Amino acid sequence: MDAAFLDRAPRLKIVSNISGGYDNLHIPEISRRGRMATNTPGVLNDTVADTIFGLLVATARRMPELDRYVRNGRASLSSRV
């Protein structure tokens, strides 16, 4: 969100940013134009933690490798007996 974008939105009153930070907003330019900017700190913490935990489990259990094995047709019920 920079000066060029703000030029194209002259009636814009508020910028609501839903992300892990606000470095994608040019706060000095938004403020200079008298517009308000908001963000939602902490909103993604649980989601990021869940994703990281899932990736750790998938890696520890070699799930991507198993997925490729099954998708390539190398696994069958008879191969387990």
Side-chain angles (χ1 to χ4, degrees), residues 3-17:
F5 180 89
L6 294 169
D7 286 341
R8 292 189 305 271
R11 297 186 326 177
L12 183 71
K13 304 238 188 274
I14 188 168
V15 177
S16 181
N17 188 39

Side-chain angles (χ1 to χ4, degrees), residues 15-25 27 37-45:
V15 177
S16 181
N17 188 39
I18 302 172
S19 70
Y22 57 91
D23 58 342
N24 58 326
L25 302 177
I27 299 298
T38 68
N39 79 327
T40 52
V43 72
L44 300 175
N45 293 354

Side-chain angles (χ1 to χ4, degrees), residues 64-80:
E65 181 182 342
L66 177 60
D67 178 65
R68 284 189 303 276
Y69 185 80
V70 171
R71 288 177 187 265
N72 289 333
R74 296 187 309 186
S76 68
L77 291 177
S78 62
S79 67
R80 299 193 69 194

Side-chain angles (χ1 to χ4, degrees), residues 30-69:
I30 292 170
S31 297
R32 184 184 73 73
R33 294 172 185 245
R35 314 282 179 46
M36 181 185 294
T38 68
N39 79 327
T40 52
V43 72
L44 300 175
N45 293 354
D46 291 343
T47 302
V48 171
D50 290 346
T51 300
I52 296 301
F53 186 74
L55 290 171
L56 287 169
V57 170
T59 301
R61 296 295 181 183
R62 299 170 60 184
M63 289 178 162
E65 181 182 342
L66 177 60
D67 178 65
R68 284 189 303 276
Y69 185 80

